[in-house]
Amino acid sequence: MTAPTQTASYQLGHKLDSVPFSPYHMLLILVLGTVGFVEGYDLALGGSLIVLAKEPLHLGQADVRWLVAGPTFLVVIGGFTASALSDRLSRKLVMQAGVIISTFFTLLIPLAQNAEQLIVLRLITGIGMGFAIPASFPIAAELMPAQHRRTYGAIYEVMLASAFTLLPFVGYLLAGNPIGFRLIALPGGLALGVVPLLVHYAIPESPRWYLLNARPQAAVDAVNLMIRRCGNRVTALTLAELGADLSIERAALPPFRALFAPEQIRWTVIGTLSGISASVAYYTCAILLPKALVDQGTAVALSFGLSSVLFMASIPGKLFTGYLMEVIGRRWTITYALAGSLPGIALMAAAHLAGSAAAVVFVAGGLITGFTVLSAFPCTRVYLSEQFPTALRGRGHFFGESSGRLIAGVVFPLFMERYTNSPEAFFGILMVAVAIGAFVPLLFGRETVGQLESVTQETRVAAWGRRSRPAL
């Protein structure tokens, strides 16, 4: 027997894309967005913990560096591990495991009695986040109609930005409280009792994943379940229409090295690079900006307030990015978001020279930066998922995010931590990093708007052999 044919995958993809947008799609978006909110809160928690726990737990310089880079490095390790599992196991199962691990160990942070315990808890939390955070976009890319992936990307990222905005605001309220670092962890930890249940009951398995795993009846049933939940506004899918039968054998998954096959490597690299510069800006602002502002003479409470401004601006910014990516395309939107942030970063760098107006200048720069580069992710993450055929999408997205996070969230913060006391060096280096990434997708990438099976057609035959043509 043979694996599902191109016709089967195209028919299934066409049927999914033909389902009109409905309240059920919105439910999927909100549940995945809730995962993003909780995981974003836990991910960004490190920057606030560094400031709030420094005196109560007597954090030394080595402890600070562990909290800056260690959890994110474990997010990378978790992401690489999950990348090996996502295409083989259920994408939903990988997400659920990550949410449970991350929220459970965040809930234990209030019990930490010393720096070592806090570091260990944050490291284990990082593994769970590495499973959960990248899983949302492959799931959504395979469930959302093509024209509404931007809707998902925008709303998901707005919920993520809401977490990033809430966190420094809570830090502002808790500044000076000796148990502030314990209290600030509770919102992320208490989600343990809610979010895994939402994922279990609301998120279906991907019909495309079922087809890839030679389960055509399950794929048809999953599509028809979505059709019913969306109001039966299109006709049900049948096995005959799919062009498949129950005797289809499971297609052999391509090896991991297929991500770097001649037909695929360009898109793997470009999809990864498109997110690195935006991630550099995010991690620098989320992890190091409160510390940098304190080191540069700003009061602790004010540093949290100024940090919150950046992420508050990203809420409308991400909605605009989600709209723009379907109007001018993914590549031009990424260029706009990254290049458009350079004046804002420059204003933040020069704010200390403005005397009594320093806070106003910084806020102006923060609003620009938040509305642009910190709002790029609805586009960069959707763009990354669209670079891969279904047989590689789970591993490709996890690999791309994990590789970008290793550079942007581990290597770069460790490098930048030594420059937090110099606004010229701190913001100047950030400007260079963002400027480099502004034009990579535009100059070297391809546009990917459309049905997943169409945009990945040219990469469907990769290094695992031209004799086998796995479904997309």
Side-chain angles (χ1 to χ4, degrees):
M1 298 295 175
T2 60
T5 64
Q6 175 177 320
T7 300
S9 63
Y10 268 79
Q11 288 289 344
L12 187 142
H14 175 73
K15 179 62 73 172
L16 284 173
D17 285 346
S18 71
V19 178
F21 193 76
S22 70
Y24 180 64
H25 286 111
M26 184 57 67
L27 174 65
L28 296 179
I29 291 173
L30 292 177
V31 171
L32 291 173
T34 301
V35 173
F37 179 89
V38 171
E39 297 302 319
Y41 189 96
D42 290 350
L43 181 65
L45 187 60
S48 298
L49 288 175
I50 289 171
V51 176
L52 294 176
K54 186 172 184 179
E55 292 186 8
L57 295 186
H58 309 292
L59 301 182
Q61 192 64 28
D63 300 324
V64 170
R65 287 178 178 170
W66 269 104
L67 289 171
V68 166
T72 307
F73 181 71
L74 267 295
V75 174
V76 173
I77 298 299
F80 280 123
T81 303
S83 72
L85 300 175
S86 180
D87 290 321
R88 299 179 185 278
L89 302 178
S90 162
R91 310 208 197 291
K92 177 178 172 179
L93 180 61
V94 169
M95 173 186 281
Q96 284 179 304
V99 170
I100 291 171
I101 293 170
S102 64
T103 53
F104 176 74
F105 285 96
T106 297
L107 188 60
L108 295 181
I109 286 177
L111 304 179
Q113 299 300 310
N114 53 51
E116 290 75 17
Q117 291 177 7
L118 179 62
I119 291 169
V120 169
L121 289 173
R122 287 294 292 164
L123 292 177
I124 300 175
T125 300
I127 296 175
M129 290 188 288
F131 273 61
I133 294 173
S136 295
F137 273 81
I139 290 173
E142 295 177 3
L143 294 178
M144 289 292 115
Q147 67 272 27
H148 288 290
R149 281 181 220 130
R150 68 168 181 179
T151 308
Y152 163 75
I155 295 176
Y156 176 91
E157 290 293 340
V158 164
M159 296 182 75
L160 204 61
S162 299
F164 300 154
T165 303
L166 176 64
L167 191 61
F169 178 73
V170 174
Y172 168 80
L173 296 177
L174 295 174
N177 189 324
I179 62 169
F181 78 94
R182 304 183 192 279
L183 297 176
I184 202 170
L186 286 178
L190 292 175
L192 173 65
V194 178
V195 179
L197 293 176
L198 289 177
V199 172
H200 179 74
Y201 288 108
I203 304 299
E205 191 53 76
S206 164
R208 287 176 164 102
W209 183 84
Y210 279 133
L211 188 61
L212 170 70
N213 285 272
R215 298 172 62 183
Q217 184 63 63
V220 169
D221 292 343
V223 170
N224 290 336
L225 176 63
M226 292 197 65
I227 290 174
R228 289 195 300 274
R229 289 180 173 178
C230 293
N232 288 311
R233 288 184 285 175
V234 297
T235 59
L237 182 67
T238 65
L239 276 177
E241 186 180 356
L242 192 63
D245 61 60
L246 297 178
S247 64
I248 289 176
E249 295 178 357
R250 175 172 177 161
L253 282 174
F256 195 86
R257 65 177 181 274
L259 291 172
F260 313 102
E263 299 86 351
Q264 178 64 45
I265 185 171
R266 177 179 175 182
W267 315 123
T268 299
V269 171
I270 289 172
T272 301
L273 288 178
S274 68
I276 285 180
S277 290
S279 296
V280 159
Y282 160 72
Y283 279 104
T284 300
C285 293
I287 296 177
L288 288 178
L289 186 59
K291 179 180 185 298
L293 292 175
V294 171
D295 290 349
Q296 294 166 23
T298 303
V300 171
L302 182 58
S303 73
F304 281 124
L306 293 175
S307 299
S308 188
V309 166
L310 276 78
F311 293 108
M312 187 181 302
S314 72
I315 294 176
K318 287 180 175 183
L319 291 173
F320 180 69
T321 298
Y323 164 77
L324 196 64
M325 62 191 275
E326 298 293 339
V327 176
I328 64 174
R330 317 297 199 224
R331 297 181 303 158
W332 276 106
T333 300
I334 293 171
T335 298
Y336 142 76
L338 271 63
S341 71
L342 298 179
I345 299 174
L347 284 174
M348 291 193 293
H352 69 288
L353 302 175
S356 59
V360 175
V361 174
F362 188 94
V363 167
L367 290 174
I368 295 171
T369 303
F371 193 83
T372 52
V373 66
L374 297 186
S375 302
F377 298 104
C379 190
T380 59
R381 283 179 168 148
V382 169
Y383 189 65
L384 174 61
S385 270
E386 290 176 342
Q387 302 300 315
F388 306 101
T390 297
L392 283 172
R393 186 166 296 114
R395 283 168 293 170
H397 191 98
F398 275 87
F399 172 82
E401 283 218 16
S402 297
S403 299
R405 194 169 283 117
L406 177 63
I407 296 171
V410 179
V411 177
F412 196 79
L414 279 176
F415 170 73
M416 289 287 281
E417 191 270 338
R418 71 192 70 182
Y419 298 110
T420 54
N421 61 349
S422 170
E424 293 84 3
F426 184 79
F427 292 108
I429 294 171
L430 180 60
M431 285 183 67
V432 172
V434 171
I436 290 173
F439 298 99
V440 168
L442 187 63
L443 296 177
F444 305 106
R446 59 178 174 178
E447 194 50 69
T448 58
V449 178
Q451 194 195 80
L452 291 177
E453 288 75 19
S454 297
V455 298
T456 58
Q457 182 176 10
E458 62 189 88
T459 63
R460 65 190 301 271
V461 182
W464 63 91
R466 296 176 183 273
R467 293 175 298 173
S468 174
R469 291 178 174 262
L472 295 179

